[in-house]
Amino acid sequence: MPETLELYNTMSRRLERFSPLEEGHARLYTCGPTVYDFAHIGNLRTFLFEDVLRRTLQHFGLRVTQVMNLTDIDDKTIRGAAREGISLREYTDRYVEAFFADVDTLRVERAEHYPRATDYIPQMVELVQRLEARGHTYRSEGSIYFRISTFPGYGRLSGVSLEGNLAGARVDADEYEKEDARDFVLWKGSREGEPSWDTPLGPGRPGWHLECSAMSMALLGETFDLHTGGVDNVFPHHENEIAQSEGATGKPFVRTWLHAEHLFVEGEKMAKSKGNFFTLRDLLEQGHDPLAIRYLLISVPYRQKLNFTFDSLHGATQAVERVGNTLRRLRHSPAATGAGDLSTEDVSSFRTELERALGDDLNTARALAALHGLLRQVNTALDGNGISGAIRAELDLALADVDRTLDVAPRDEAAPQDEDGEVQRLVEERTAARAARDFARADQIRQRLGELGVVVEDTPHGPVWRRR
Ligand SMILES: [Zn+2]
């Protein structure tokens, strides 16, 4: 591992060299979706940032244990299920399934664990009991609250100050507004029309913040390496998670906090009322390529705001096509007989640059620029004296690095092997016809290839074909 991985820690407000608590093993908690609706592209940007993080950790030689929770109980899921007159599980199952379909479409690698909040009620109860034993809670009307004034570190992550912010006032809501630091609910006493669990705490249901503390510590331990989310999770959600977890254990909860910035659409905040609110399926229905969507959503480094525009989506579509065309051209070009025009240094300096870019707080813009630089060199070489067999083997390794980290190369699903074989056979037949000076036959074949959507170029080292 020659390059180092540096990540910006929201807690320290600095870039820090990442090294996991346990040698060779990174433990990562990523706040997941509330499964009451389809994820929008802002949510998906955060999930893609976490995907690049996960892949980068692996690229730097670490085994990753990632947990992403599925919030299947909160005000929104309860309301949705009630509206349709079905069970909470039935209602949330639909959106859990949609969530997995979306992330699979965008090539997001699966996490090791996807705990559902309703499967971790005993762990949540135990956490509240520990907080009660340490004097961090009070009860009121069947609910249990966290008393913020008992946790002096409150506000360190977000920089929110308690003074004048109603510390000591309590708030019952799940759907938090961001203005106030107030005592927050850990356990909500049961109410008419809401699901409720009979527990030693009394009947009721968990608060949203409690879910993440309980599930992360149950699966990753009381102290772990990385915790991520969108910037709007910093306060109060992550601040409350820290208070609950450290209040209960007396140990540091998380070492590095990472947060993805907001996504705008055509320069504006996304809102259903403005008609600029998009889910993945909205974009797919409009005919956009999921790979171009992945490309666009990772093209801006995660700590910068991303302005999603249809112009930029068009640009991403072209960028992905450029990648695909060059790779296809490469695949169908014979190896150079001589040294060729691409060198070992060209390939190795690309690999170093890719690693440096990712190690630079996941600088995906820099990594993609490096990829396009390499592909330009490949095209230039194929226009000239070609690429030798030895360098191509090195190039394949470099391209495998790209697939493992950025994963933006089209897969040739539209051109199955047998069809490629047919094209290859026609190209060879055409070459033979030209060699025999049978130009009428050569033209006939070129026409047939054109019908198959294939363009043939004659280069100094033989014909090269690509799909239009
Ligand atoms: Zn969370």
Side-chain angles (χ1 to χ4, degrees), residues 29-32 69 71 208-209 212-213 227-228 233 237-238 241:
Y29 188 84
T30 47
C31 282
N69 65 299
T71 297
W208 171 45
H209 310 300
C212 280
S213 283
H227 191 132
T228 68
N233 291 145
H237 182 49
H238 289 164
E241 278 190 47

Side-chain angles (χ1 to χ4, degrees), residues 146-338:
F146 188 98
R147 193 187 298 280
I148 286 179
S149 61
T150 64
F151 189 74
Y154 194 90
R156 244 176 4 113
L157 181 70
S158 58
V160 165
S161 145
L162 283 183
E163 284 152 50
N165 261 323
L166 293 167
R170 66 183 169 79
V171 59
D172 230 315
D174 248 355
E175 294 177 67
Y176 272 60
E177 290 307 322
K178 291 168 74 172
E179 303 85 64
D180 298 324
R182 293 188 280 188
D183 291 350
F184 57 91
V185 69
L186 295 163
W187 187 258
K188 302 179 86 166
S190 70
R191 277 190 218 158
E192 183 76 31
E194 287 195 354
S196 174
W197 282 261
D198 278 317
T199 72
L201 301 174
R205 65 170 172 103
W208 171 45
H209 310 300
L210 184 69
E211 300 175 7
C212 280
S213 283
M215 292 189 284
S216 61
M217 294 198 292
L219 292 162
L220 296 173
E222 291 181 347
T223 302
F224 56 91
D225 300 297
L226 296 151
H227 191 132
T228 68
V231 280
D232 29 345
N233 291 145
V234 176
F235 180 81
H237 182 49
H238 289 164
E239 204 72 80
N240 291 353
E241 278 190 47
I242 295 169
Q244 293 164 153
S245 302
E246 299 190 357
T249 67
K251 296 177 198 164
F253 175 43
V254 167
R255 303 217 309 167
T256 307
W257 291 87
L258 308 180
H259 294 97
E261 257 294 347
H262 285 294
L263 173 140
F264 292 84
V265 173
E266 305 285 350
E268 287 196 76
K269 235 183 131 175
M270 194 163 44
K272 278 186 174 156
S273 58
K274 284 192 216 156
N276 68 350
F277 184 97
F278 297 109
T279 64
L280 179 61
R281 47 209 72 213
D282 294 332
L283 297 175
L284 298 182
E285 272 166 29
Q286 293 176 20
H288 296 291
D289 173 10
L291 189 55
I293 298 168
R294 174 184 173 89
Y295 186 100
L296 177 56
L297 292 179
I298 69 169
S299 64
V300 175
Y302 76 97
R303 283 201 297 128
Q304 290 174 26
K305 292 183 175 64
L306 190 155
N307 185 19
F308 180 98
T309 67
F310 284 91
D311 273 353
S312 59
L313 183 54
H314 180 66
T317 306
Q318 289 183 318
V320 165
E321 274 170 15
R322 259 196 314 278
V323 174
N325 280 338
T326 306
L327 296 183
R328 207 168 300 120
R329 188 178 174 199
L330 179 68
R331 217 168 23 247
H332 297 297
S333 305
T337 39

